[in-house]
Amino acid sequence: MDLPEAWAGRGAWTVLDTDFQNGQRFLNLWRAWQRDPRRPRLLHYVGIASVVPRVDVHDSAPDDEGRSLARVLAAQLLDRGAGFHRILLNQAQVSLTLCIGDAQGMLGEQVFQADTLLCAAPADKWAVQLLARRCKRGSRFWMDTTPQHGATVTPETQLPALLQATGFELDPAAPVNALSGSFNPRWNIPTSRTPSSHVAQVASRCAIVGAGIAGASVAHALARRGWQVTVFDQEVRPAGGASGLPAGLAVPHVSADDNPRSRLSRSGTRLLAQHADRLLVRGQDWEPSGVLEKRPDGGALWHPQACWIKPAALVQAWLASPEIAFVGNTQIAALQRSDELWTLHDPQGLDLGRYAVVVLANAMGCAALLKGSGPGVQLKADLLAKLKALQGVHGTLSHGTYAEALAGLPTTPVNGNGCFIPHVPGASGAQWFAGSTFEPDTLAASDLRTQHAANMERLSQLLPLEGFDLGETLDRGPTAQWSATRCVTHDRLPLVGPVETASGAGLWLCVGMGARGLSFSALCAELLVARLGAEPLPVEFSLSGSLDANRARRLRPFAADP
């Protein structure tokens, strides 16, 4: 099929490949996209494979350009396991979602409709119907019917009839061992055929309230898709709150049952590292250092994909786009819906503009803003309860420079009950960071000396070095404390999704990153814009529900454990 003609002038194009194999089809399409001056702004490619693909760099293409693309893909596939993997390529304008696992199971976790379908011959009518659910009217398909792909029906008999009965039209001139055509059923396609109730939104104007790591990540994701974004914040500069952390760790949570928090933070950590590698200076703003985790049972776990990073530098890089305007020193006090647009107002009632979509990424401030927006913004009781349950938890980070050379100091960050980042470049030389506290009591959090002492005590337990107390030794040099408040949800997972109101759609939440904002922010942004634009999700549909702002989950009493 002639994709350059089909996708010319489109904002995005989505390909579903249920037989990814060694990735050669993806590499060919990626190369064609690069060479086409009329290519879509964003290329989504969803590939399903039973095992992690092995890319043969030397056999992938006969020239340096093709081999270069193959090397990039091969590097991204290292240390991948079962599940969904969002891989951003070509300055994040090519989005590969690689799904490792049973083909039918992985297909069932998708909630988008493809422009192009590439697949092996399905085994039965149920598989054909599952493919049809991933198509929209006009979707083009190409199907490999060679025997080695496991088809249990033959193209000469049952398969064409099954396809036509399900709504596919066949090209009469298809090549040998293949079927091609388009999805064009005689009947109306029901809107209930997908769990996603959102129709693709045309890129327009969006306002984001909050210029921390949550708001900046969403702004960047929308700008990549052609949106014009205005980011408002009450601080003078971006990252004025908890996202101004001087340095932090992006490291996944680990659990024995590999629960949703573990799976989501693992995906989010790898996605964040892709953004950092593309936008920041390695060794200055971030470092893919890996992190050693000291476990409570006395064991240790190495996280090779974890990193240290300066969040404010990432926020600035995310916002450095011509499609994004930052407006600081501005408080948003109310929202009003009219003529299918949202108007933002400051405390004096001044009109701050009209937008098709508004994203609230202002942490604890979202509840007051929604409450102050009048009867037009009426929330469901369950979401209202979640917003009321948001907790502000204060964190103090200790940092300083070394007064002396220290023997036995780790060369990479250590995490556990507290954390230690040993060598971060700063204006006065190498810095160390230790912390941070997790204090729900505002009065206790204001005593920075006590909070610092708690950091040093935990550090001495985290790294009991022979011959000296690390906390006491570091205290002999210049030290300082940094403190801010994190927004924590009832179940320690962010709230991401649409806010259903009486006055209409277009209002979204992205709040509650807690102490894992570096691990969650990039993933939450990809999830929000995917749902907004009816794109492929960055994680399994069943897993994405754990982040849904409207998820049905029992509220548990808040506990102030790190």
Side-chain angles (χ1 to χ4, degrees):
M1 62 189 70
D2 193 358
L3 274 182
E5 282 300 320
W7 69 27
R10 295 280 295 272
W13 193 265
T14 303
V15 178
L16 173 59
D17 183 350
T18 68
D19 191 27
F20 193 78
Q21 298 183 57
N22 62 359
Q24 190 58 57
R25 276 198 296 259
F26 167 69
L27 290 170
N28 293 341
L29 191 61
W30 181 11
R31 188 175 187 176
W33 178 87
Q34 281 189 324
R35 291 180 167 186
D36 186 1
R38 299 184 300 165
R39 62 179 178 261
R41 183 185 185 101
L42 197 66
L43 174 63
H44 291 286
Y45 196 104
V46 179
I48 298 176
S50 58
V51 297
V52 179
R54 298 189 64 176
V55 179
D56 191 321
V57 173
H58 299 291
D59 291 344
S60 294
D63 55 22
D64 289 342
E65 180 189 10
R67 285 190 289 270
S68 176
L69 297 182
R71 278 192 292 270
V72 171
L73 178 59
Q76 289 291 341
L77 298 183
L78 294 175
D79 299 320
R80 301 284 181 176
F84 279 36
H85 304 274
R86 177 59 58 88
I87 300 171
L88 301 178
L89 304 162
N90 254 100
Q91 298 301 305
Q93 295 309 120
V94 174
S95 174
L96 169 62
T97 307
L98 184 61
C99 310
I100 309 298
D102 170 71
Q104 197 143 325
M106 290 293 98
L107 196 56
E109 291 283 5
Q110 313 290 345
V111 292
F112 70 97
Q113 276 75 52
D115 296 295
T116 300
L117 171 64
L118 308 173
C119 58
D124 52 42
K125 67 177 182 179
W126 309 114
V128 173
Q129 291 177 2
L130 196 56
L131 290 174
R133 290 178 68 87
R134 300 284 67 83
C135 294
K136 56 189 174 185
R137 190 175 299 280
S139 296
R140 296 286 298 171
F141 78 93
W142 185 89
M143 186 175 293
D144 192 332
T145 59
T146 51
Q148 61 264 34
H149 284 83
T152 58
V153 292
T154 62
E156 292 80 15
T157 55
Q158 296 101 319
L159 185 53
L162 281 177
L163 291 169
Q164 290 171 330
T166 315
F168 291 95
E169 292 181 346
L170 304 181
D171 290 337
V176 177
N177 291 328
L179 293 172
S180 63
S182 62
F183 184 69
N184 190 26
R186 299 182 302 275
W187 53 88
N188 291 328
I189 301 174
T191 56
S192 60
R193 65 199 295 262
T194 172
S196 175
S197 60
H198 295 283
V199 178
Q201 176 113 21
V202 177
S204 182
R205 298 183 70 219
C206 175
I208 297 178
V209 183
I213 197 167
S217 60
V218 174
H220 180 72
L222 287 170
R224 283 167 35 219
R225 290 156 172 82
W227 285 72
Q228 297 299 311
V229 185
T230 303
V231 181
F232 295 93
D233 199 278
Q234 61 186 5
E235 302 293 338
V236 176
R237 289 179 294 275
S243 299
L245 182 75
L249 296 179
V251 57
H253 177 266
V254 175
S255 59
D257 60 349
D258 201 27
N259 61 32
R261 188 188 304 177
S262 299
R263 295 167 63 192
L264 290 164
S265 64
R266 185 165 62 240
S267 295
T269 297
R270 294 199 69 148
L271 189 57
L272 181 97
Q274 293 180 55
H275 283 282
D277 193 42
R278 176 170 55 90
L279 298 171
L280 301 182
V281 178
R282 182 179 295 193
Q284 175 180 308
D285 301 320
W286 85 296
E287 184 65 44
S289 55
V291 172
L292 180 66
E293 180 181 348
K294 296 284 191 73
R295 306 288 288 171
D297 57 9
L301 183 63
W302 175 247
H303 297 282
Q305 305 299 333
C307 62
W308 67 256
I309 193 168
K310 297 178 181 178
L314 182 61
V315 168
Q316 293 284 0
W318 270 337
L319 295 179
S321 167
E323 289 86 4
I324 300 174
F326 171 71
V327 180
N329 199 27
T330 302
Q331 184 178 352
I332 306 301
L335 307 168
Q336 184 179 5
R337 175 83 171 176
S338 63
D339 299 328
E340 299 187 349
L341 293 174
W342 290 96
T343 303
L344 278 62
H345 298 278
D346 71 1
Q348 288 72 45
L350 180 65
D351 184 333
L352 298 175
R354 306 181 78 199
Y355 301 89
V357 171
V358 175
V359 179
L360 303 185
N362 55 336
M364 300 293 298
C366 67
L369 175 54
L370 290 170
K371 183 178 179 181
S373 294
V377 181
Q378 295 179 357
L379 306 182
K380 288 187 174 181
D382 191 50
L383 178 57
L384 184 61
K386 291 187 182 74
L387 295 179
K388 288 181 178 179
L390 292 175
Q391 294 281 334
V393 180
H394 314 284
T396 297
L397 179 73
S398 300
H399 59 99
T401 54
Y402 298 97
E404 58 194 272
L406 301 180
L409 204 65
T411 58
T412 57
V414 180
N415 197 38
N417 183 19
C419 74
F420 183 62
I421 312 176
H423 301 291
V424 177
S428 303
Q431 302 177 85
W432 58 266
F433 294 86
S436 60
T437 59
F438 200 79
E439 178 57 68
D441 185 87
T442 302
L443 184 61
S446 65
D447 185 352
L448 295 184
R449 178 175 296 181
T450 301
Q451 296 293 302
H452 171 71
N455 282 336
M456 295 297 98
E457 174 63 26
R458 286 191 299 170
L459 178 59
S460 297
Q461 297 173 9
L462 182 68
L463 289 172
L465 301 180
E466 187 175 347
F468 64 95
D469 184 293
L470 181 57
E472 290 182 358
T473 306
L474 294 176
D475 263 341
R476 292 202 287 266
T479 63
Q481 294 79 46
W482 178 91
S483 185
T485 303
R486 314 175 185 102
C487 177
V488 180
T489 67
H490 65 286
D491 60 2
R492 304 298 179 82
L493 288 172
L495 300 176
V496 183
V499 178
E500 298 180 17
T501 71
S503 55
L507 184 60
W508 292 72
L509 273 179
C510 188
V511 298
M513 303 291 150
R516 291 191 179 272
L518 287 171
S519 299
F520 281 131
S521 55
L523 178 65
C524 289
E526 284 291 296
L527 179 60
L528 188 152
V529 297
R531 293 186 62 187
L532 178 64
E535 298 175 357
L537 299 182
V539 295
E540 297 89 327
F541 172 73
S542 58
L543 183 58
S544 71
S546 297
L547 295 176
D548 189 350
N550 300 291
R551 59 187 179 265
R553 184 161 297 190
R554 182 175 61 88
L555 296 178
R556 294 188 293 271
F558 177 78
D561 58 309

